[in-house]
Amino acid sequence: QLSIDDIRVLCDAHSKPLELHFQYGTAGFRTLGNTLDSVLFRVGILAGLRSKRLDGKTIGVMVTASHNPEADNGVKLVDPRGEMLEAAWETHATVLANASTTDDFLHALDLFVRNVKIDLSKPSRVVYARDTRPSGVALISSLEDGLKAIGAEARDAGVTTTPILHYLVKAINTKGTKESYGDDSEDGYFKKLSDSFKKLVAGRPKITPLVIDCANGVGAPIAAKLVEYLGESIPLILENTSITTLGALNNACGADFVKTMQKLPPSLVEVLKPGQRACSLDGDADRLMYYYLDDRGYFSMLDGDKIAALVAAFIVDLVKLAGLESTIKVGVVQTAYANGASTRYLAKRLPVKCVPTGVKHLHHAAEHYNIGVYFEANGHGTVLFSPQAQETLANHEPSTPAQSTALNHLVNLTHLINQTVGDALSDMLLVEVVLAHKSYTGVEWNSLYADLPNRLVKVVVSDRNAFRTEDAERRLISPSGLQAKIDELVRRYDGGRSFVRPSGTEDVVRVYAEAILKTQADELAFRVAGLVY
Ligand code: 16G
Ligand code: ZN
């Protein structure tokens, strides 16, 4: 039973800084790590209540700020099926985080418990983890106080990646059922990935060494463990593994650096050889960027769009080969940031849908297909197999050896892919499987289509909320008249496309433009930015 006195005492010890306002946004709560003590305590209570509301199912809590600078930190909740927190609770989280005093908080809590009809006598279970950020240690202990205050049964998953935490949540909640997602341990995760990977590349030519930029984050120790499980099946060279060097995390390395700078992390200049593949993880290992140096040493980047193109085309082919073309429909989900050339490439092969930015939008749209492939250009993405698709794969009787092989590959892909959320390490192995099957080097993969030159700029405006969009953020509905002016500009550029949207994570408006020529894409972006400003 809930003891208000216990909560009060602990809450007093985690008081909210008066001047700060917190918001549960697309990436949970995220701001400077040393301001988040009260938020973590309250999130502990909220996670316990969410579990009670869902009849004692296990809820996940991840402490991370992903690709952000080292001083930032954040926290997000994971629902029982391993998915992002239900949207309505994002609002509850924001309200509770902003109650200014202990009394206000207890009052808000009481109101919330009654409104949402939470039966406090139900059990509550929470599993939590953090990335390698120095502020994480203290934040975890604030979280633990919150879990203690609500009487939750707590399980510490230690220092691990965001996708492993999502995996654990799903594995715990499906344990002992026929939907079992795997053993609910890191070991279970590594075994699941490495066993399916080995089956998928069996009989293929030896894979050439792959360099992994671990962003000096949690991907480093986790990739090091994965290496042990993968054995000889793929040679991995781990770089940027300094997780205890202050200031190193995401600094001039990692997936976000590569995507925004469109260049090699300086730390890899001496490491990467012409022709060799490399990839970068971000600070919590849920984003992935590939790249290589060509024979002349020029850098080429293979982003989330290129991964989507590679993977979707491979899966479509396997479904055909397995004789399941008419029963299993494959589709792709992208955002407005997807390079126009990738959309054209994909749309020739399968249905493509565009949704607003943010993993929850992509994930939900992908659930509408039998097999849904979703990737953001920034490298976050995964593939979802619907329950019916998995059932079909399990029960289909192949009529030829070729069908049987394709069917096996598809089944193994359902194990290799972390279907709960984008997972850089799982996605990396997926890419390696496709490259091995196609006998592609980075060059051949890159030539599936040529990226249209593009430019992203951010504009500081007095009120970003004045910018409202429609059509999956591709058009503005306000400020009035602005979209017509953008259209008028875009018409003057060969292959021109541009859109403006308010950021969900920073107090800015983002302008994206692409055109046939690099100079034109730059010019279009800056002229549209001029309209916005
Ligand atoms: C968040 C989103 C990411 C999106 C980014 C856009 C999740 C887990 N993360 O990091 O998917 O690409 O925001 O940021 O949903 P922006 O709104 O500032 O452009
Ligand atoms: Zn991340």
Side-chain angles (χ1 to χ4, degrees):
Q1 262 307 37
L2 198 62
S3 151
I4 293 296
D5 289 337
D6 285 354
I7 298 184
R8 180 182 293 280
V9 171
L10 284 164
C11 193
D12 279 338
H14 298 281
S15 58
K16 174 184 175 292
L18 278 179
E19 68 288 1
L20 297 182
H21 178 85
F22 301 104
Q23 190 174 350
Y24 197 104
T26 33
F29 292 107
R30 191 177 292 185
T31 180
L32 271 179
N34 61 13
T35 66
L36 281 166
D37 165 54
S38 62
V39 170
L40 267 287
F41 172 75
R42 293 169 187 200
V43 163
I45 292 184
L46 186 74
L49 290 174
R50 177 101 184 122
S51 174
K52 286 178 187 289
R53 181 69 184 83
L54 300 175
D55 223 7
K57 290 221 171 56
T58 297
I59 296 296
V61 180
M62 184 69 201
V63 178
T64 178
S66 185
H67 58 281
N68 283 33
E70 186 171 291
D72 284 2
N73 216 327
V75 59
K76 53 188 171 189
L77 272 72
V78 180
D79 265 351
R81 295 192 306 146
E83 292 166 12
M84 308 264 163
L85 177 67
E86 180 189 302
W89 279 59
E90 294 183 359
T91 319
H92 302 320
T94 301
V95 169
L96 290 179
N98 289 297
S100 40
T101 61
T102 295
D103 279 333
D104 290 349
F105 175 69
L106 291 176
H107 179 70
L109 198 61
D110 180 54
L111 212 63
F112 170 59
V113 167
R114 281 188 283 133
N115 283 345
V116 184
K117 301 194 173 58
I118 298 170
D119 178 352
L120 294 173
S121 66
K122 292 273 164 110
S124 71
R125 301 182 180 92
V126 176
V127 57
Y128 58 92
R130 66 174 175 93
D131 68 15
T132 55
R133 275 161 220 273
S135 60
V137 181
L139 293 179
I140 286 289
S141 96
S142 314
L143 175 75
E144 285 169 338
D145 275 356
L147 295 172
K148 191 158 76 181
I150 197 73
E153 191 185 302
R155 172 169 160 186
D156 183 359
V159 175
T160 197
T161 68
T162 295
I164 289 183
L165 194 263
H166 283 252
Y167 166 89
L168 288 175
V169 170
K170 184 159 181 170
I172 292 169
N173 286 309
T174 55
K175 200 171 178 164
T177 72
K178 69 178 195 323
E179 284 96 43
S180 170
Y181 198 58
D183 187 62
D184 62 328
S185 63
E186 255 185 15
D187 178 60
Y189 168 87
F190 289 126
K191 278 207 178 107
K192 190 175 175 187
L193 260 60
S194 56
D195 286 352
S196 48
F197 178 77
K198 286 175 192 167
K199 287 180 192 157
L200 280 158
V201 298
R204 303 278 148 186
K206 205 168 160 39
I207 298 175
T208 56
L210 170 69
V211 172
I212 310 178
D213 156 23
C214 300
N216 295 313
V218 67
I222 297 299
K225 289 184 201 169
L226 183 61
V227 165
E228 305 285 312
Y229 286 82
L230 289 167
E232 307 266 276
S233 61
I234 177 170
L236 299 173
I237 302 162
L238 307 190
E239 296 290 338
N240 294 328
T241 57
S242 309
I243 59 169
T244 53
T245 306
L246 282 182
L249 178 67
N250 297 327
N251 189 359
C253 61
D256 197 59
F257 173 88
V258 172
K259 177 66 181 166
T260 35
M261 305 305 288
Q262 311 207 1
K263 68 176 194 191
L264 202 62
S267 47
L268 295 193
V269 170
E270 303 287 314
V271 175
L272 204 60
K273 302 185 196 83
Q276 194 173 17
R277 300 176 321 296
C279 61
S280 286
L281 319 177
D282 72 339
D284 61 341
D286 62 353
R287 285 193 195 182
L288 180 69
M289 280 289 144
Y290 259 80
Y291 40 90
Y292 62 91
L293 299 177
D294 68 14
D295 295 338
R296 292 167 307 164
Y298 284 117
F299 171 82
S300 286
M301 182 175 73
L302 297 146
D303 65 359
D305 298 338
K306 283 268 155 87
I307 297 175
L310 182 78
V311 167
F314 180 66
I315 291 178
V316 166
D317 288 349
L318 282 180
V319 168
K320 268 185 211 156
L321 285 170
L324 290 167
E325 212 177 341
S326 55
T327 33
I328 295 185
K329 299 287 175 208
V330 188
V332 176
V333 186
Q334 298 186 309
T335 72
Y337 289 113
N339 195 278
S342 78
T343 311
R344 202 166 326 125
Y345 174 88
L346 284 162
K348 278 186 202 144
R349 291 160 176 83
L350 67 172
V352 180
K353 193 172 175 1
C354 183
V355 299
T357 307
V359 172
K360 64 181 174 209
H361 298 294
L362 289 123
H363 195 94
H364 286 142
E367 283 179 322
H368 292 293
Y369 297 114
N370 300 129
I371 301 180
V373 179
Y374 75 82
F375 274 91
E376 287 190 292
N378 64 25
H380 187 117
T382 185
V383 181
L384 305 181
F385 294 79
S386 72
Q388 306 94 287
Q390 306 213 40
E391 186 128 347
T392 306
L393 295 177
N395 300 323
H396 182 67
E397 294 286 345
S399 39
T400 64
Q403 283 195 355
S404 163
T405 305
L407 192 63
N408 272 329
H409 289 335
L410 284 166
V411 170
N412 284 320
L413 286 180
T414 67
H415 301 312
L416 177 68
I417 297 167
N418 186 341
Q419 296 182 50
T420 62
V421 77
D423 180 335
L425 293 171
S426 158
D427 289 341
M428 174 191 84
L429 294 178
L430 171 62
V431 164
E432 292 299 320
V433 164
V434 186
L435 296 181
H437 276 249
K438 297 261 182 197
S439 304
Y440 279 175
T441 63
V443 181
E444 282 121 6
W445 172 15
N446 200 21
S447 62
L448 291 181
Y449 64 83
D451 272 321
L452 279 170
N454 57 87
R455 182 76 189 228
L456 183 62
V457 292
K458 52 180 166 183
V459 188
V460 180
V461 293
S462 55
D463 178 18
R464 75 176 146 140
N465 295 317
F467 292 79
R468 287 191 292 124
T469 62
E470 62 176 4
D471 190 22
E473 303 181 319
R474 289 175 290 190
R475 300 186 61 80
L476 282 175
I477 46 175
S478 85
S480 75
L482 187 51
Q483 185 61 46
K485 288 187 192 155
I486 297 172
D487 291 344
E488 172 21 48
L489 259 183
V490 167
R491 266 197 294 278
R492 295 190 226 156
Y493 292 81
D494 211 7
R497 182 170 77 92
S498 180
F499 64 89
V500 175
R501 60 174 280 277
S503 160
T505 63
E506 275 183 89
D507 199 8
V508 297
V509 162
R510 298 198 200 282
V511 175
Y512 175 90
E514 63 187 30
I516 301 281
L517 297 174
K518 178 68 183 145
T519 49
Q520 300 273 288
D522 290 346
E523 189 182 299
L524 179 56
F526 283 105
R527 292 184 71 176
V528 172
L531 294 176
V532 167
Y533 187 65

